[in-house]
Amino acid sequence: MTDSPDDDDGPRCDNCGDPIEASPNRRVVTNLEDGEAAYSNFCDDDCLEEWRS
C-alpha cells in the first residue's frame, strides 16, 4: 500500500492559505533569507499580486 498525497502535506498559498495543487496557474517566488533559499507559494497571479501589495 502506498501513501497518497494529502492536502495537509503539500504547500499552501502564502496569501489565502488554500492548498496548492499542481496547476499551470501556480506561482513560486524564491528569496534568500539568512543565506538560505526560501520559497513562497501562490495559487495564481492574483494571490501573488495581492501578497505583494
Side-chain angles (χ1 to χ4, degrees):
M1 178 179 223
T2 61
D3 292 327
S4 60
D6 188 342
D7 285 345
D8 292 336
D9 294 337
R12 293 190 168 270
C13 178
D14 286 355
N15 185 57
C16 71
D18 287 348
I20 305 275
E21 299 174 9
S23 162
N25 296 326
R26 176 181 179 182
R27 299 295 178 250
V28 178
V29 175
T30 307
N31 292 304
L32 285 178
E33 294 179 7
D34 299 323
E36 294 193 23
Y39 302 96
S40 299
N41 295 277
F42 302 95
C43 298
D44 53 29
D45 287 330
D46 292 337
C47 274
L48 173 57
E49 289 305 316
E50 204 172 299
W51 177 80
R52 285 182 170 163
S53 57

